[in-house]
Amino acid sequence: MNPSPPTAPYRGRFAPSPTGPLHLGSLYTALVSYCEARSRGGTWLVRIDDVDRLRCSPAHAGDILRTLERHGLYWDEAVLYQSQHDEIYRAALELLGADGRVFPCTCPRRELAVSGPVYPGTCRTRYRHPPPGGYALRLRVNEAAVGFDDRLQGRIEQNLRCEVGDFIVRRRDGIHAYHLATVLDDAEQGITEVLRGIDLLDSTPRQILLQEWLGLPRPDYCHIPVLTDRGGIKLSKQAGALPVNRDAPSENLWIVLGLMGLSPESTLLGAPPEEILDWAIAHWDIRRIPPEQHIEIMTP
Ligand code: GLU
Ligand code: ZN
């Protein structure tokens, strides 16, 4: 009998955008990815998605990290800050540019709003040289369908040309796009499985295409349900989700474990975070995650 091929040790990550303090929805995603990595004897990393300096702040980043620590969620290696990776993103764009994969786009926003969600290709062949003034850079996507097998959501396929169009990899204001930054950093951190909210499921084909064109390894993908309010809206700071109370970590963990499909014993309520987490890791089974979780959110 052939021994099964060795699999790379699991490396997962939690990648919050520091646009505000951690709320229950992001604690949920953090805890699922933590339990998954720990129960597989893997490494758990934290990345701060702060490419967009206009929306993010170092104060929020510090606040998020402190909240994770207060909940016993300790990461294994140095925190990666996307704001410090501009050089890597720029080099990748140069590579794509040299292969003719990107083009400048000067379409005004209101024009694109009229044409709908799929970029109509207006600037694909418009410029021989970079135009003077501001412009975004878009990736020239091809006709091929991009598919992958999500561990929880099954087979996903997308025809980027028809369903998305040439997407932005660098904004007009010079800020690198999320898709570009995330694939480079997932590779940089040696992530073996990207586990994140299902709201990002349909951005995965774009990221897979970028991985292919940049010669980066493709991690596995696992998209988990997100917490929503009663109206089905994802919990977010914009939608009025309150920050988690850092002074009640045990209670928060106990509540979130219940939402994750675990039934923590009542004796754990009030136990130190480390003890609750040990229990969670020992009982963790990602297949028991409920498909949807509505939370009554309180607005101040
Ligand atoms: N920073 C993204 C967010 O907060 C997550 C990115 C990812 O997991 O790829 O929604
Ligand atoms: Zn354009």
Side-chain angles (χ1 to χ4, degrees):
M1 222 174 69
N2 287 331
S4 50
T7 46
Y10 188 93
R11 287 172 71 83
R13 48 63 160 189
F14 171 57
S17 307
T19 53
L22 209 67
H23 55 78
L24 206 63
S26 36
L27 181 63
Y28 173 87
T29 306
L31 201 50
V32 171
S33 76
Y34 178 87
C35 287
E36 187 62 21
R38 289 284 178 260
S39 67
R40 291 165 75 160
T43 300
W44 189 66
L45 305 171
V46 171
R47 180 181 88 204
I48 296 291
D49 281 3
D50 56 355
V51 262
D52 188 345
R53 289 165 192 66
L54 305 174
R55 293 181 57 235
C56 300
S57 87
H60 288 315
D63 187 79
I64 289 171
L65 295 176
R66 239 166 299 132
T67 304
L68 291 174
E69 284 176 331
R70 286 295 286 274
H71 288 77
L73 298 167
Y74 297 106
W75 49 94
D76 295 315
E77 294 170 13
V79 172
L80 187 157
Y81 290 85
Q82 293 198 316
S83 56
Q84 295 170 6
H85 270 186
D86 269 343
E87 218 31 71
I88 296 178
Y89 308 148
R90 201 168 317 164
L93 282 181
E94 246 163 60
L95 215 73
L96 292 168
D99 291 343
R101 304 276 197 202
V102 293
F103 63 88
C105 167
T106 52
C107 295
R109 200 180 292 235
R110 56 179 184 287
E111 222 169 79
L112 294 176
V114 177
S115 63
V118 178
Y119 180 71
T122 321
C123 299
R124 267 196 154 212
T125 52
R126 189 186 257 177
Y127 301 107
R128 281 172 165 275
H129 303 287
Y135 55 88
L137 284 177
R138 288 181 183 271
L139 195 75
R140 196 188 301 276
V141 303
N142 56 13
E143 299 282 355
V146 180
F148 68 102
D149 293 299
D150 187 90
R151 191 146 65 91
L152 287 180
Q153 312 303 329
R155 182 80 190 159
I156 306 292
E157 291 214 6
Q158 213 176 44
N159 182 312
L160 289 172
R161 191 71 196 275
C162 307
E163 296 174 54
V164 179
D166 305 316
F167 59 92
I168 290 186
V169 284
R170 197 192 68 200
R171 292 180 353 195
R172 188 189 287 253
D173 60 9
I175 289 179
H176 296 102
Y178 155 68
H179 301 298
L180 180 76
T182 201
V183 297
L184 288 160
D185 292 333
D186 284 334
E188 171 94 2
Q189 289 192 302
I191 299 304
T192 59
E193 181 177 80
V194 170
L195 188 156
R196 59 187 174 197
I198 198 166
D199 54 318
L200 291 168
L201 184 65
D202 73 352
S203 54
T204 304
R206 273 169 271 184
Q207 297 177 12
I208 288 175
L209 184 68
L210 278 168
Q211 280 154 2
E212 281 174 13
W213 286 356
L214 288 166
L216 302 172
R218 184 201 292 197
D220 293 332
Y221 285 94
C222 179
H223 288 84
I224 60 167
V226 291
L227 302 188
T228 63
D229 66 13
R230 295 218 176 255
I233 307 290
K234 181 193 169 196
L235 291 199
S236 67
K237 190 191 58 164
Q238 294 79 4
L242 294 179
V244 298
N245 176 2
R246 218 183 309 179
D247 295 325
S250 303
E251 291 75 6
N252 297 334
L253 288 174
W254 201 83
I255 292 168
V256 174
L257 291 183
L259 296 172
M260 287 159 61
L262 291 168
S263 315
E265 291 141 24
S266 55
T267 49
L268 275 176
L269 192 53
E274 287 72 14
E275 203 176 304
I276 301 181
L277 291 176
D278 282 347
W279 181 92
I281 294 161
H283 292 82
W284 177 236
D285 180 357
I286 200 166
R287 289 163 307 185
R288 297 228 306 260
I289 288 193
E292 246 181 273
Q293 290 286 356
H294 298 302
I295 300 286
E296 189 85 68
I297 56 165
M298 291 173 301
T299 35

